[in-house]
Amino acid sequence: MDKTVDKGLTKYVAAFVADAKVKDLPEDVVELGKKHILDGIGLALSGAVAHSGAIVLRHLDELGLQSGVATVIGMNRKVAPRFAAFANGVGIHADDYDDTQLAVAADRVYGLLTHPTAPALPAALAMGEVAKASGADVMLAYHLGVEVECKIAEAIAPRHYQTGFHATATCGTFAAAAAASALMKLDAEATARALSIAGSQSAGLRENFGTMTKPFHAGRSSESGVAAAQFASHGWTATDKILEAPRGFFNAAGGGYDIDAIYHRLGSPWTFSNPGISIKPHPSGSLTHPGMTEMARLIREYGIKAADVKHVRVGTNSNMPNALIHHRPQDELQAKFSMEFCMAILLLDGRAGLGEFTDATTQRPDVKAMIEKVDFVVDEKAEKAGYHKMTTIIDITLNDGRVIHGEADFGKGSPANPMSYDEVAEKFRENAGHAGLKRDAAEEVITLVHELERQPSIERLMGLVAKIG
């Protein structure tokens, strides 16, 4: 490690954000990003009507936030930008239906990395409204936030996630600070201070997976990043080496980092381009998705009926059960982190969307009975495949003695099996309809995002999603 380079890491990140121009975004990255922006807005809409949405609205009322300049999606409310970022971040992550970053290094647990859009997009939208920025500038800010977040998550030592930190919460704070700094047009020095202020607010623990506090992490990280940039713009002081210092983020939160995963790597390549970011087809933890994709394929190919199933063995690497911790889920949030539930509901209902992940579904006798037939275990072959993959091995034993076998490293929506813009648009329609957004408004949003770089502002877009019903 080059120690002289190491000491300037935060400055390098800040300069990347401050100096970036829209023309720096490759065409493929622009097009990929549009899918994720559309996905994020749809999730914020569905999150507005989740159980957590009502509590967020009550919290805004308790703060006396009745007016402002930044839109809270789906709640017919404008508030100060930091609180809009909070509310929309919670909304995007509320159903655990949002995108996930792939790892590069083989020792990186897929789940170690982040849900990049949930912290980055709300900050970009909120500050984009404040700045009356063009669609292109909002898009650039979003991409900068995602890129900074993902490269920080890739660089920090695996201990960070493995011992309990939630990377979306911790690394996401830097994402929001980067996005907000870009739209506020802070110079490199001020951006470095914004990142440092964000670093001191970086927090979130995985023990809260399966509760409302997990999406709270995403909202709070977005809010904290916006506040950090605002304070930096006013001259608030902070260190210029928050990432690399002995008492800085990487060492304090991870016990170390790989400088080669971040230095001279921002935008080279952009994470959206390589290794890519997955969009979820199911509202559950990303670690369930390879297994769910493979289970759905096996059901279709072999015509499997729930009544014919005697036993299901699901094998993964040893890190996946560290996140999928609810083996007998009692509510919808726990079900999102239950491999057993995800397998059971596909066998019983043939689908696993918002309508299946409910408190009532977890209490169905047939669901409980099928869950008892599913064993979720560590598999030696999956372990050897590497933690950067989510290798999932399924063996379904039928009552007639047949054993049906399947394996998958990644699920539908991953770069290896991507969703098209039209497929993401269909997911958006589902989420928007679930929230009560009118069909005409939903179709216009789909078009506006598809042409985002040509929009003079995001005013029309945010107006369309401000209110549902």
Side-chain angles (χ1 to χ4, degrees):
M1 181 185 296
D2 183 342
K3 295 297 184 181
T4 60
V5 168
D6 189 26
K7 291 179 181 177
L9 183 57
T10 303
K11 291 181 179 179
Y12 158 69
V13 175
F16 172 78
V17 173
D19 296 342
K21 303 291 188 293
V22 173
K23 64 181 178 59
D24 297 330
L25 293 173
E27 184 176 347
D28 68 315
V29 171
V30 170
E31 295 307 313
L32 287 167
K34 290 176 185 177
K35 292 193 292 186
H36 292 256
I37 291 169
L38 179 65
D39 188 45
I41 292 172
L43 294 167
L45 284 166
S46 62
V49 297
H51 295 321
S52 56
I55 298 175
V56 167
L57 185 58
R58 180 177 178 181
H59 176 62
L60 297 178
D61 287 339
E62 289 173 340
L63 292 173
L65 300 175
Q66 304 298 329
S67 63
V69 294
T71 300
V72 178
I73 293 174
M75 294 189 181
N76 195 29
R77 183 73 58 90
K78 285 196 172 187
V79 297
R82 65 181 292 177
F83 297 113
F86 169 74
N88 293 332
V90 172
I92 290 174
H93 203 42
D95 290 311
D96 226 284
Y97 209 176
D98 49 322
D99 56 12
T100 51
Q101 172 194 359
L102 274 72
V104 175
D107 67 343
R108 302 293 164 142
V109 186
Y110 187 99
L112 158 71
L113 305 185
T114 69
H115 294 271
T117 291
L121 182 60
L125 294 177
M127 298 312 295
E129 286 191 278
V130 172
K132 300 186 185 303
S134 69
D137 284 341
V138 171
M139 183 176 65
L140 174 63
Y142 164 73
H143 276 288
L144 291 171
V146 168
E147 183 67 2
V148 167
E149 177 181 2
C150 290
K151 290 299 197 292
I152 288 175
E154 186 70 50
I156 197 167
R159 191 206 81 183
H160 178 67
Y161 187 87
Q162 290 170 329
T163 58
F165 280 106
H166 182 198
T168 301
T170 55
C171 304
T173 310
F174 296 103
S181 295
L183 284 162
M184 296 175 72
K185 301 191 182 304
L186 300 185
D187 63 19
E189 187 275 333
T191 300
R193 286 188 283 110
L195 293 171
S196 293
I197 298 166
S200 277
Q201 300 178 87
S202 176
L205 299 173
R206 288 197 300 117
E207 185 61 27
N208 274 307
F209 279 20
T211 76
M212 291 181 185
T213 302
K214 186 172 189 280
F216 178 90
H217 291 166
R220 195 55 184 267
S221 66
S222 196
E223 175 192 353
S224 295
V226 169
Q230 290 177 318
F231 272 95
S233 73
H234 297 314
W236 199 269
T237 62
T239 181
D240 60 5
K241 51 183 182 295
I242 194 64
L243 293 173
E244 68 271 25
R247 293 168 295 188
F249 175 72
F250 281 136
N251 284 313
Y257 67 106
D258 176 9
I259 193 170
D260 293 328
I262 184 169
Y263 189 69
H264 284 322
R265 292 296 303 278
L266 291 169
S268 183
W270 290 83
T271 300
F272 264 117
S273 181
N274 185 26
I277 300 171
S278 294
I279 292 177
K280 289 185 176 182
H282 305 291
S284 57
S286 60
L287 298 174
T288 67
H289 279 65
M292 295 177 79
T293 298
E294 185 64 3
M295 175 61 84
R297 185 189 71 80
L298 295 173
I299 290 170
R300 290 193 304 270
E301 182 173 341
Y302 294 94
I304 299 171
K305 307 295 183 185
D308 298 331
V309 174
K310 181 178 180 180
H311 178 260
V312 179
R313 179 187 184 273
V314 184
T316 67
N317 68 53
S318 59
N319 277 294
M320 289 170 66
N322 196 27
L324 303 177
I325 59 178
H326 295 290
H327 305 294
R328 300 294 182 270
Q330 298 302 308
D331 58 40
E332 66 170 283
L333 294 176
Q334 291 183 2
K336 294 173 184 296
F337 296 91
S338 172
M339 181 69 83
E340 294 89 342
F341 175 88
C342 292
M343 297 295 100
I345 200 64
L346 283 170
L347 285 165
L348 288 164
D349 291 7
R351 55 171 284 125
L354 290 172
E356 285 67 49
F357 282 87
T358 67
D359 292 351
T361 303
T362 66
Q363 299 305 311
R364 278 170 36 189
D366 61 335
V367 171
K368 290 185 175 184
M370 184 60 74
I371 283 175
E372 292 298 327
K373 297 181 179 183
V374 180
D375 284 335
F376 179 30
V377 300
V378 174
D379 186 278
E380 183 178 351
K381 183 178 180 180
E383 186 81 4
K384 289 179 178 178
Y387 297 150
H388 63 311
K389 296 180 181 179
M390 298 185 294
T391 301
T392 304
I393 299 170
I394 298 175
D395 290 293
I396 306 169
T397 302
L398 302 180
N399 292 327
D400 63 9
R402 286 183 297 155
V403 178
I404 296 174
H405 177 81
E407 298 182 19
D409 291 331
F410 299 105
K412 176 66 176 176
S414 71
N417 187 10
M419 296 173 71
S420 67
Y421 190 85
D422 287 342
E423 287 176 314
V424 176
E426 191 55 38
K427 177 183 172 182
F428 173 83
R429 292 184 185 101
E430 176 198 5
N431 288 324
H434 177 76
L437 188 70
K438 293 180 179 178
R439 182 77 180 206
D440 288 349
E443 295 305 316
E444 188 173 353
V445 170
I446 291 168
T447 299
L448 287 172
V449 174
H450 193 257
E451 301 172 353
L452 184 60
E453 74 273 32
R454 296 192 286 276
Q455 304 304 322
S457 76
I458 60 169
E459 182 179 2
R460 177 61 180 168
L461 173 64
M462 300 309 291
L464 287 166
V465 298
K467 184 179 180 180
I468 51 181

